[in-house]
Amino acid sequence: MITISLCMIVKDEADILARCLDSVAEIMDEIVIVDTGSADRTKEVAARYTDKIFDFTWINDFAAARNFAFSKAECDYIYSADADEVMDELNRKRFKELKKSIDVGIEVVQMYYVNQLKFGTVYNFDREYRPKLFKRNRIFTWIDPIHETIRLYPVVFDSEIEIIHQPKESHASRDFSVFWHMTESEKVLSKRLHNLYARELMIAGNDDDFLRAADYFEISVTNPEYELEQVKEAACIIARAARISNDTAKFFKFAMKDIASEGCSEICCELGEYYRARDDIHEAVVWFYNAAFETASILDIRCSKEIPLKALSECYKLLGMDEEAEKLDLP
């Protein structure tokens, strides 16, 4: 049977760390906790489970912290977990069975990450595979300072194990801080991080987040390495920021960049909100209808579902079209 090191990076997780460790500790042969600067009792809680607790100076880079944690592991495989994850009894049983029967040629095991949509994460699916268990004797390197991932082409096994995501709160403000640090230091985001930054803004960003991000996305539009996909992502962010700041010229400039290719639901929603704010309800209906029924979302799946449907219902009622409003299949 293989041995497994649990590797975690934590900061101020005293309220939930025990919940996580209680759910997986019995499966692990070693527990490695890397603290990135807690001001609460996190390390005291961790000490109840392991003496392998290390400090790591936070440098706005989750990948660097995870690489450090991985370097302290000594077992056959490494299980990477966050403090806001929980494993229930059924999935502990599945994990134990996997531990007994895994083919040692498998280098990465993916597990289902569930309960995503409830907490406004950057993901548009409530259940998706993520790499969670890694063979230690491969050189696994974490890349990207945020929403970090593994840079390898390993032998991967898709398990049926489900990990329940139960954060105390949205991580958006934490993530935006790292994104701002990267972009303000003139670091060009990879296509993957460009997408995740735009997606997280659309799902969880407030007005100030959009206004602060707009300059970077205007620059990214001119990046010769970026393709139409990145231009459309940037257009969504810039158009929202321009609508917030009442910059009509910029709003239409970037909204039309998207519409000129193949309009997405996000831009249609922006146009709907633009016209609704100006009491042009008939025109707002046109764009909310397009968002809900004629286009697809590229960043936030809600922009092709509940957001335009709710707005469309409200617009129909303003126009005295109650029957049309009642026909809509609101979530």
Side-chain angles (χ1 to χ4, degrees):
M1 184 167 63
I2 63 167
T3 58
I4 301 176
S5 298
L6 168 63
C7 287
M8 301 178 67
I9 58 173
V10 297
K11 181 180 179 181
D12 295 333
E13 305 287 10
D15 292 344
I16 60 174
L17 181 57
R19 181 186 68 183
C20 173
L21 291 173
D22 284 343
S23 74
V24 296
E26 64 175 310
I27 307 170
M28 305 301 155
D29 300 282
E30 176 186 54
I31 296 175
V32 175
I33 305 291
V34 171
D35 190 279
T36 61
S38 293
D40 65 2
R41 296 173 51 254
T42 294
K43 288 197 283 187
E44 183 180 329
V45 174
R48 302 205 302 259
Y49 300 84
T50 182
D51 59 358
K52 293 192 172 185
I53 302 171
F54 304 91
D55 290 313
F56 182 85
T57 302
W58 180 241
I59 55 173
N60 286 298
D61 193 327
F62 286 96
R66 289 205 190 275
N67 283 332
F68 178 75
F70 272 33
S71 75
K72 302 299 182 181
E74 297 181 355
C75 292
D76 301 326
Y77 282 77
I78 298 170
Y79 178 62
S80 180
D82 291 326
D84 57 9
E85 298 173 5
V86 179
M87 195 175 296
D88 61 20
E89 184 58 38
L90 171 61
N91 289 288
R92 280 194 294 273
K93 181 179 178 181
R94 289 171 174 167
F95 204 135
K96 290 174 185 176
E97 291 172 352
L98 173 72
K99 186 177 180 181
K100 292 177 182 177
S101 62
I102 187 171
D103 184 324
V104 293
I106 292 171
E107 295 163 321
V108 172
V109 176
Q110 296 206 113
M111 301 177 186
Y112 284 112
Y113 213 62
V114 301
N115 209 32
Q116 290 282 76
L117 298 180
K118 182 177 179 180
F119 296 99
T121 66
V122 299
Y123 301 95
N124 282 318
F125 304 95
D126 210 37
R127 186 173 185 261
E128 63 172 1
Y129 268 130
R130 286 193 183 182
K132 297 294 292 181
L133 185 67
F134 309 97
K135 195 169 186 179
R136 188 177 63 85
N137 64 3
R138 277 291 292 264
I139 301 173
F140 290 96
T141 301
W142 289 90
I143 59 171
D144 291 334
I146 188 170
H147 298 300
E148 60 278 14
T149 190
I150 293 292
R151 181 174 52 204
L152 276 181
Y153 298 96
V155 178
V156 179
F157 172 69
D158 293 339
S159 75
E160 290 300 312
I161 299 169
E162 293 184 345
I163 300 159
I164 304 167
H165 186 216
Q166 292 184 338
K168 293 182 293 184
E169 57 191 12
S170 170
H171 294 159
S173 61
R174 177 203 69 183
D175 294 349
F176 291 146
S177 176
V178 179
F179 279 125
W180 293 330
H181 177 81
M182 294 175 66
T183 57
E184 288 172 4
S185 62
E186 300 184 354
K187 184 168 184 176
V188 177
L189 299 181
S190 65
K191 291 179 181 179
R192 174 176 174 270
L193 285 186
H194 188 277
N195 172 265
L196 286 169
Y197 190 13
R199 195 188 303 180
E200 191 152 11
L201 283 165
M202 292 300 298
I203 293 173
N206 60 35
D207 287 358
D208 288 341
D209 296 328
F210 277 91
L211 294 174
R212 190 169 183 179
D215 287 346
Y216 172 76
F217 282 96
E218 283 197 61
I219 294 171
S220 78
V221 169
T222 64
N223 186 334
E225 295 184 5
Y226 284 171
E227 300 170 358
L228 178 61
E229 179 182 358
Q230 286 73 49
V231 172
K232 290 171 73 67
E233 292 166 358
C236 292
I237 304 308
I238 301 166
R240 170 73 67 84
R243 182 169 64 81
I244 292 167
S245 60
N246 293 313
D247 188 337
T248 302
K250 185 177 289 186
F251 174 78
F252 279 104
K253 175 182 177 179
F254 285 93
M256 292 307 104
K257 280 185 183 294
D258 174 72
I259 297 299
S261 58
E262 180 179 349
C264 66
S265 298
E266 287 83 353
I267 288 295
C268 289
C269 282
E270 290 301 318
L271 287 161
E273 294 295 354
Y274 174 87
Y275 287 110
R276 179 159 66 164
R278 285 155 180 77
D279 293 325
D280 190 343
I281 306 303
H282 285 94
E283 192 65 18
V285 164
V286 170
W287 291 106
F288 287 132
Y289 185 92
N290 272 274
F293 301 110
E294 302 295 340
T295 56
S297 60
I298 62 172
L299 294 170
D300 182 358
I301 196 170
R302 299 173 305 165
C303 288
S304 61
K305 295 183 177 181
E306 58 260 38
I307 291 175
L309 287 173
K310 180 181 177 183
L312 197 56
S313 175
E314 293 167 353
C315 287
Y316 280 149
K317 290 175 181 177
L318 286 172
L319 295 172
M321 302 170 64
D322 292 350
E323 281 190 33
E324 293 300 319
E326 290 175 5
K327 291 178 184 178
L328 295 173
D329 185 18
L330 295 177

